[in-house]
Amino acid sequence: VQLQASGGGLVQAGGSLRLSCAASGRTFSSYAMGWFRQAPGKEREFVATINWSGSTTYYADSVKGRFTVSRDNAKNTVYLQMNSLKPEDTAVYYCAAAYSILTMTRRQYDYWGQGTQVTVSS
């Protein structure tokens, strides 16, 4: 599985962005998909995850109520809608795929995209 994240950019605090992650391959629906982020000088951290059908999602407490993860298996794409953005959301955002397991644990993901930069100005 190859993953290509896009949609990052510069936005003012309080604004919104929608990230997309396009996956190659015909087994996209076999994977749970996750979003992680990494700010400069910090560890990569979990943001959100969604199961293969889209029926179950989990979020980090820091983004709960502001971010929404979704997927379209027909388009092999997972999305991260980010609203009410804060300067502390500034990071490189990565999408990742985990085969047959819904997890918030970084090391359990099998494939990673290249990352897309999100910068939130105050």
Side-chain angles (χ1 to χ4, degrees):
V1 176
Q2 291 186 319
L3 304 175
Q4 179 77 34
S6 62
L10 174 63
V11 64
Q12 288 189 331
S16 298
L17 281 175
R18 188 175 82 154
L19 305 184
S20 299
C21 176
S24 65
R26 293 176 289 180
T27 59
F28 176 72
S29 59
S30 298
Y31 291 83
M33 299 298 296
W35 287 97
F36 290 76
R37 67 187 182 186
Q38 188 167 17
K42 294 189 176 181
E43 298 252 332
R44 192 172 299 188
E45 65 175 4
F46 168 77
V47 174
T49 188
I50 186 167
N51 74 331
W52 70 273
S53 68
S55 62
T56 303
T57 57
Y58 293 111
Y59 297 92
D61 287 343
S62 59
V63 307
K64 205 170 292 183
R66 300 187 298 122
F67 291 10
T68 303
V69 60
S70 61
R71 66 190 295 161
D72 184 338
N73 287 342
K75 295 182 178 179
N76 281 13
T77 302
V78 62
Y79 305 97
L80 185 68
Q81 178 67 44
M82 305 186 295
N83 298 330
S84 302
L85 282 161
K86 304 175 181 180
E88 51 263 43
D89 294 318
T90 295
V92 177
Y93 283 71
Y94 298 89
C95 59
Y99 184 71
S100 293
I101 182 172
L102 185 63
T103 179
M104 295 180 280
T105 304
R106 187 177 64 188
R107 66 177 180 272
Q108 293 184 300
Y109 282 80
D110 304 297
Y111 302 97
W112 291 83
Q114 86 290 0
T116 185
Q117 176 71 48
V118 171
T119 303
V120 184
S121 63
S122 57

